[in-house]
């Protein structure tokens, strides 16, 4: 039997009680992947037909443009992720999702979530995922518009505590829209307190 206990306890039980039928359906159709570091979960030019729950590990999403990788997001334990536009529209994605550590991932096929969404209570589950992703994207956009590179770095550390021990610095630099050399210079400065409220209000 799949070990879905962390998924049930962390993602679902705080929202609502599962019926025996719902639990059996999830146990029957969900899968668990154990992937090594650098493995791909989703590749560009594919269609995202599953929602993923990260039980263990770190995932990055990125585009490839002119042979250069541009990081767009990082996901940690207890995060849901997928190529959301592809998942919602059925179109192919331009995004890649790759493990930065050995990872344990629960796969929820879209055909499973579609069946669960026939019960209105599951819309709360999906709304929570969509709301979190929307807020993250709005705040990321506002950080590029309102903050300089130093402030963006400090805001990143606030968003992702302990990330520097788990994510290579060149990946962080790509996410922040700067060169590794610029990030290295920023990190060598004395950390100072800054006002992040202008971003958090977005």
């Amino acid at each position: 039997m799949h070990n879905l206990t962390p998924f049930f306890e962390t993602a679902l039980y705080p929202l609502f009680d599962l019926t025996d039928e719902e639990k059996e359906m999830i146990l029957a159709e969900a899968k668990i992947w154990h992937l090594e570091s650098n493995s791909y979960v989703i590749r560009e030019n594919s269609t995202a037909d599953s929602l993923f729950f990260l039980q263990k590990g770190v995932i990055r999403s990125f585009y490839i443009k002119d042979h250069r990788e541009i990081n767009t997001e990082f996901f940690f334990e207890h995060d849901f992720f997928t190529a959301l536009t592809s998942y919602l529209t059925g179109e192919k994605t331009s995004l890649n999702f790759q493990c930065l550590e050995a990872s344990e991932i629960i796969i929820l096929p879209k055909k499973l979530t579609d069946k669960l969404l026939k019960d209105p209570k599951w819309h709360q589950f999906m709304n929570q995922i969509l709301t979190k992703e929307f807020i993250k994207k709005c705040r990321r956009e506002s950080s590029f518009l309102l903050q300089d590179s130093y402030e963006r770095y400090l805001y990143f550390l606030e968003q992702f505590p302990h990330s520097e021990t788990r994510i290579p610095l060149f990946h962080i630099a790509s996410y922040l829209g700067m060169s590794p050399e610029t990030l290295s210079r920023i990190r060598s400065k004395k950390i100072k307190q800054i006002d992040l409220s202008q971003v958090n209000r977005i």
Side-chain angles (χ1 to χ4, degrees):
M1 181 177 291
H2 296 326
N3 180 23
L4 296 180
T5 301
F7 170 65
F8 288 141
E9 292 182 346
T10 304
L12 298 184
Y13 291 159
L15 292 177
F16 45 68
D17 293 327
L18 292 174
T19 66
D20 290 340
E21 182 182 4
E22 288 168 335
K23 191 168 183 177
E24 289 175 7
M25 189 185 305
I26 294 169
L27 288 170
E29 299 190 35
K31 300 177 182 178
I32 296 182
W33 275 358
H34 296 274
L35 298 177
E36 297 299 320
S37 179
N38 297 321
S39 299
Y40 281 81
V41 183
I42 300 173
R43 286 186 180 270
E44 61 182 331
N45 296 319
S46 65
T47 302
D49 58 2
S50 295
L51 184 64
F52 302 93
F53 179 76
L54 187 56
Q55 292 206 132
K56 177 184 176 183
V58 180
I59 304 292
R60 71 172 177 129
S61 60
F62 65 97
Y63 292 108
I64 298 176
K65 180 176 176 59
D66 299 328
H67 307 290
R68 184 168 64 95
E69 296 179 356
I70 305 170
N71 290 321
T72 62
E73 196 56 80
F74 298 108
F75 302 91
F76 295 84
E77 284 83 3
H78 303 161
D79 279 341
F80 285 94
F81 69 94
T82 190
L84 200 52
T85 300
S86 175
Y87 180 82
L88 295 173
T89 66
E91 299 171 353
K92 291 184 178 180
T93 183
S94 298
L95 279 167
N96 298 276
F97 289 75
Q98 184 184 37
C99 302
L100 294 179
E101 295 177 351
S103 299
E104 182 177 291
I105 300 168
I106 292 177
I107 308 166
L108 303 171
K110 193 171 188 300
K111 63 180 181 179
L112 168 61
T113 55
D114 285 346
K115 282 190 282 189
L116 293 170
L117 284 167
K118 291 178 181 177
D119 185 329
K121 75 179 182 183
W122 282 90
H123 287 270
Q124 181 182 359
F125 163 75
M126 188 60 69
N127 183 64
Q128 184 181 75
I129 296 171
L130 295 176
T131 298
K132 183 178 180 180
E133 288 307 300
F134 178 75
I135 292 172
K136 282 167 63 178
K137 290 183 183 300
C138 286
R139 287 181 171 170
R140 175 163 160 74
E141 177 183 281
S142 64
S143 72
F144 275 90
L145 294 173
L146 299 173
Q147 296 178 323
D148 61 28
S149 57
Y150 183 76
E151 291 170 330
R152 287 204 307 277
Y153 170 64
L154 294 189
Y155 185 59
F156 173 84
L157 294 181
E158 182 184 80
Q159 286 182 297
F160 303 114
H162 313 299
S163 58
E164 288 186 304
T165 63
R166 304 182 70 182
I167 301 174
L169 291 179
F170 70 92
H171 282 319
I172 295 175
S174 171
Y175 176 81
L176 294 174
M178 63 183 71
S179 68
E181 293 77 17
T182 298
L183 178 58
S184 180
R185 287 195 296 271
I186 289 172
R187 294 179 72 245
S188 68
K189 294 180 180 179
K190 184 178 180 180
I191 298 297
K192 63 181 180 181
Q193 198 68 28
I194 62 171
D195 180 15
L196 301 173
S197 62
Q198 59 182 347
V199 173
N200 288 330
R201 285 198 300 267
I202 297 299

